[in-house]
């Protein structure tokens, strides 16, 4: 099989699964991403392991569930020592580089406990969830009275903007994500009223083209070493304001109606109610605001599409195209008013389902080009896919996803999963306390088997949607007595998942097999009366003088 | 409160909860351990998190469940980076030293990935599950045609024995754990027929007094630095053969009847049947062999008791007694024929319940001296106890147990647990394949609420015992239709436990509370129409020129 020498792993932030031309959006123009879908496979039922940036990304970058790696919300450090995609790829001889966002927070305590210096090669990788960093840009530099949300956010981009003449302590905030009124005063991109304004920045100086150039700069110097390049954009994530001309590309006439139903407001699950009644939910229930915000969001999506076009053109111009696996995906969606919500705190499809397009240039993938795969796919399948593509050994005891290569090559994998799982750590939001939930145990878990989407809410009744009869997810059956058995069955699926041996990461299947029963032939002879039960070669050891002990540590202890 | 300067953490291996005088054994003499029970608190319902050495010990040494740390069977390495008791105690200014057995296997791959050199201080601690090592002696040096079970087992002890004139490549095997026949030929301690023979070694040269001397040697040079000393004996673990005079201290007349019932043989759970029909189970169903083996086991227990006497005498002679917390416990039990079984593969009390005696010398504990505590206690409570005693901060996000100090000081803790959990990784035994279970998912989980002992067997029906009506655990109700609801309730308890956020170890409760809602005041102002919703101090930031961004990384990300 021809070798893949480059993996171009493109991630957008908060890009909905259905806001692409190839996914059927009636007005949105995404010709470059659509072209990739025509050359590859579009996975139409791909789900993230958490509908919020940080934990979702840690699943992409470790190939493990949130429940396994523990970085359950934004700002929760990924524990030092958690194996990463970068570790696995480097072991297979492929580099793993970052250009853009990860939302990683380093585990400073754990690194200190292990003596890992942040400026050492290993320490830097542990601090950056396994990546070597060409540019880290989390793309978020808001300011408030308590300071910046992230002083490292957009730091290099801000320096570059100042060098380009955008005079401000924080041009990300004042120019890239703000407009201007007639008097020249700032119109913040944080305010939805301003979403239709052009950002006060030249298109080529905005963040998406900047990251694209940083990626092509990287590729220009990368030579032909095998490498996975994670190009990770902040957009179309809010602030919802686009640079010209993208700000004017779409208007209210291009805004699709919200996926919502009045019955969702009638006796809703208290958790759904809490988010519907929150500031963001209420704002996205205002159709006048949606009509201003969504065109800006769509403009940002089309700008992202143009970035993909530039990256693909660069691969072709540099001769990499035939040896590059291309992935385009997102870390989660955006309700945009669907289900009376904004943001992405729950598990309806607009939030937890993602776009996922994979282009495998090898001839083995010719038969599937332009096809749509309906299998239930999880974001953590990408890590296993990349390790296989890089030629590494399968690591089912560490990587909880499965390689998608069989789908790309038209081979149905054996016993593919029939349920996907996702989580949300409500404990780290003010809602837990407001809803009277144990603030340290308020976890949400989704189990979706392709028909039933079950959401376990610790301390409350579950939510349940039947996507066969209610594809819009408008009817919550979680309180329906007739669906008690379905809830029990799905709760059992979740329990089976929760009991998986996710932490037995030091034991490969091969080593486990070698351990079974090995101790008898290493002298652990339990339950024998007088040794006559044993073959002579063994009993001899217990008669007269034994032979000297051979060297070498044994293959894995048996007896307690 | 007077300070504890020393924690003497004594662990025996395979010592049953009921094989102590103070626990009611009718014939067994354990005066020194009984004296500790009279000076402290005996926890009568203490359970291990796995009834097998390695995983049980990793729970003692990390304060976390097997399902959390992943070292699920003997020989499964504890993942590099898992926080240990030693880490927590050193952070509190107390050393943590090992003399004896841990059954730890280092995670060589994980250490290499993190660049931890085995000969570095941190690397050595990671390789020894957090201990500084005075002497590592796992006390097991069997030999077979495939070599030694553990070439490091008893290595220093063997060297010492050779120096004492026990001429053999493996005197542990040939002398300390073997007898001699009239002709001087070796009678292996591995064979139950030989259990009544005296081991071919002087009492003072046998392994238990050797470890005791190594412990007192350590204490003699330890000075007055606060230290936790883990004195960890291999005995009364098999081989079942005792040195003189202990070999002759008990006879068949001192052997109690097995806790077994004919109905356990009628239509048993296939898993129970598999172990009953195994080599070890069959051997312990032979009352003639029990009558030879159990007196030897009892002799080894009395020798262990004498070791406790020497340790306590040394504490008193060295002036440490008044500042030393003493703990005597075991890593699991031994069926010894109960329930038609040997060894400790399942969850009946003889296997999963342990002796646990804690002596707190401080005046606050005077009121509880000589009392018995019936609370449901888990082995991982000791780590939390030791951290509190050392003056360290509580770490509920890392340590899954709870401090026992309130019980020692006569204060009932708030909302104490009402269920204990234990696990066994059948996947690493030949039974999984024989029983047709998925060899990588064949896990057993026990949930015991004080009355109902429920055992989840992945891929099979559960086991269930009602200890209120059947304290002997002879009646398995796991297939009883009338008990379906009890099984469902206990399965739900297990599921709730399995979903706990056990891996969120980088986030303290305080930090979590600080994160809730913090992002708004750091500029993440979502869901605002025009900013008029905000107080002036915030809107000002979005009008005209903003102030320069203040320095310092924020306290923990909020917005996605």
């Amino acid at each position: 099989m021809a070798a893949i020498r480059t993996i171009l792993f493109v991630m957008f932030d908060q890009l909905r699964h259905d806001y692409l031309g190839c996914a059927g959006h009636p007005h949105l123009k995404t010709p470059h991403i659509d072209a990739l879908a025509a050359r590859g496979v579009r996975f139409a039922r791909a789900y993230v392991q958490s509908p919020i940036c940080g934990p979702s990304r840690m699943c992409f970058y470790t190939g493990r569930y949130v429940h396994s790696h523990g970085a359950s919300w934004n700002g929760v450090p990924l524990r030092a020592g958690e194996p990463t995609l970068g570790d696995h790829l480097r072991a297979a001889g492929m580099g793993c580089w970052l250009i853009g966002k990860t939302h990683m927070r380093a585990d400073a305590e754990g690194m200190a406990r292990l003596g890992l210096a942040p400026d050492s090669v290993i320490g830097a990788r542990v601090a950056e969830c396994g990546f070597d960093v060409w540019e880290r840009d989390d793309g978020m530099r808001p300011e408030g009275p308590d300071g910046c949300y992230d002083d490292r956010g957009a730091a290099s981009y801000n320096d570059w903007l100042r060098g380009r003449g955008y005079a401000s302590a924080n041009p990300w905030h004042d120019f890239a994500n703000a407009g201007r009124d007639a008097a020249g005063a700032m119109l913040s991109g944080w305010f939805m009223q301003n979403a239709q304004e052009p950002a006060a920045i030249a298109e080529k100086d905005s963040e998406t083209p900047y990251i694209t150039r940083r990626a092509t700069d990287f590729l220009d110097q990368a030579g032909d070493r095998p490498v996975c390049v994670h190009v990770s954009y902040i957009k179309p994530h809010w602030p919802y304001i686009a640079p010209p001309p993208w700000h004017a590309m779409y208007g209210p006439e291009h805004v699709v109606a919200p996926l919502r139903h009045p019955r969702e407001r009638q006796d809703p699950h208290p958790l759904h109610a809490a988010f519907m009644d929150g500031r963001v939910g209420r704002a996205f229930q205002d159709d006048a605001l949606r009509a201003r915000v969504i065109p800006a969001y769509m403009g940002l999506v089309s700008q992202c599409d143009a970035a993909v076009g530039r990256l693909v053109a660069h691969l072709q111009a540099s001769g990499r195209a035939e040896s590059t696996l291309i992935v385009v995906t997102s870390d989660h969606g955006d309700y945009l008013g669907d289900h009376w919500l904004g943001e992405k705190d729950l598990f309806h499809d607009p939030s937890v389902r993602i776009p996922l397009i994979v282009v495998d240039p090898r001839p083995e993938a010719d038969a599937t080009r332009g096809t749509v795969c309906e299998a239930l796919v999880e974001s953590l399948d990408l890590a296993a896919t990349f390790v296989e593509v890089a030629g590494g050994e399968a690591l089912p005891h560490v990587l909880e996803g499965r390689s998608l290569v069989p789908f790309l090559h038209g081979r149905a994998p054996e016993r593919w999963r029939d349920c996907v799982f996702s989580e949300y750590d409500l404990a780290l939001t003010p809602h837990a306390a407001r809803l009277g939930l144990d603030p340290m145990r308020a976890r949400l878990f989704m189990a979706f088997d392709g028909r039933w989407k079950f959401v376990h809410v610790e301390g409350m009744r579950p939510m349940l949607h039947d996507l066969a009869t209610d594809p819009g997810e408008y009817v919550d059956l979680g309180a329906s007595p007739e669906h008690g058995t379905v809830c029990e069955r799905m709760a059992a699926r979740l329990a089976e998942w929760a009991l998986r041996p996710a932490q037995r990461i030091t034991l490969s299947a091969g080593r486990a097999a070698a351990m079974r029963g090995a101790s008898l032939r290493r002298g652990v002879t339990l339950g024998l009366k007088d040794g006559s039960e044993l073959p002579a070669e063994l009993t001899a050891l217990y008669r007269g003088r034994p032979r000297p002990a051979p060297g070498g540590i044994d293959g894995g202890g048996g007896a307690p």
Side-chain angles (χ1 to χ4, degrees), chain A residues 402 406 411-417:
Chain A
R402 292 179 61 183
R411 295 182 272 107
E414 284 181 15
R415 301 197 322 283
W416 189 253
R417 79 170 60 85

Side-chain angles (χ1 to χ4, degrees), chain A residues 79-111:
Chain A
R79 61 183 290 176
E82 188 71 9
T84 64
L85 172 64
D87 296 319
H88 306 312
L89 290 181
R90 282 185 291 270
M94 179 177 275
C96 189
W97 284 79
L98 170 70
I99 298 102
K101 171 171 179 172
T102 62
H103 220 122
M104 169 71 177
R105 180 178 296 270
D107 174 15
E109 284 177 21
M111 288 177 65

